[in-house]
Amino acid sequence: MGLGQNNGVNANNWKLRLAAKDANSTDAENYIGVAPNATDKYDTFKADKPPSINPSVSLDIINKDWNSGRFAQDLRSPALARKSWDVLVRTPKANSDVTISWAEIANSVPRDYNLVLVDKETNARRDRKSTRLNSSHLVISYAVFCLK
């Protein structure tokens, strides 16, 4: 395995699963990353988010310029060194605790990458595998940054 690679993961091909969990529900099938044939525009490497059936926590990858604007997967071109994704976490109940996690980071992202959650309202930065937050609103907006 070369530097910056882990289990076949490299700067041109990686995918990270994001999850949000509250006391009653989990939304765990959300993916960001890069793929060799993906573009930074809407393409087959993007997957629209299906509508939620029950009131539950939801983690959406947001891009208002594409289709529904809500995605479960957004893989981008590996062409640029820095990528960012807007992630929106919704809870059915105000003031509920939500945990955002990326548990498989060690096997999913090149070792020399640093992923950081940035709260767009407070500019607070979190770079742990999991972060717990208390929502004071129904919608919490985060950007996930991948810095090389």
Side-chain angles (χ1 to χ4, degrees):
M1 240 184 273
L3 184 63
Q5 294 181 355
N6 195 11
N7 296 332
V9 172
N10 61 60
N12 293 319
N13 194 17
W14 61 270
K15 183 164 79 169
L16 177 64
R17 184 166 67 102
L18 301 175
K21 181 178 181 173
D22 67 8
N24 301 310
S25 59
T26 301
D27 182 0
E29 296 300 322
N30 308 284
Y31 300 91
I32 60 170
V34 299
N37 296 320
T39 69
D40 288 341
K41 299 182 187 302
Y42 185 76
D43 60 21
T44 59
F45 293 90
K46 284 39 167 199
D48 288 306
K49 186 81 168 193
S52 180
I53 297 171
N54 299 321
S56 60
V57 69
S58 174
L59 187 148
D60 302 338
I61 303 159
I62 302 295
N63 190 317
K64 295 183 185 199
D65 295 332
W66 304 332
N67 269 7
S68 69
R70 298 174 53 240
F71 297 87
Q73 176 174 284
D74 181 2
L75 302 184
R76 307 262 179 98
S77 164
L80 301 175
R82 180 179 171 144
K83 299 287 181 189
S84 68
W85 290 264
D86 286 335
V87 177
L88 186 69
V89 178
R90 301 172 195 228
T91 62
K93 183 179 174 188
N95 298 314
S96 60
D97 288 333
V98 177
T99 300
I100 300 171
S101 62
W102 48 62
E104 296 133 7
I105 192 169
N107 296 321
S108 302
V109 177
R111 289 183 185 161
D112 58 344
Y113 277 42
N114 181 30
L115 269 61
V116 180
L117 275 174
V118 179
D119 183 323
K120 289 180 150 184
E121 289 185 19
T122 66
N123 208 32
R125 302 171 84 77
R126 295 173 175 89
D127 62 359
R128 297 173 288 200
K129 286 184 183 178
S130 175
T131 190
R132 185 180 171 113
L133 42 113
N134 183 282
S135 63
S136 56
H137 309 288
L138 287 174
V139 178
I140 304 162
S141 184
Y142 277 87
V144 177
F145 289 100
C146 176
L147 306 173
K148 189 171 183 184

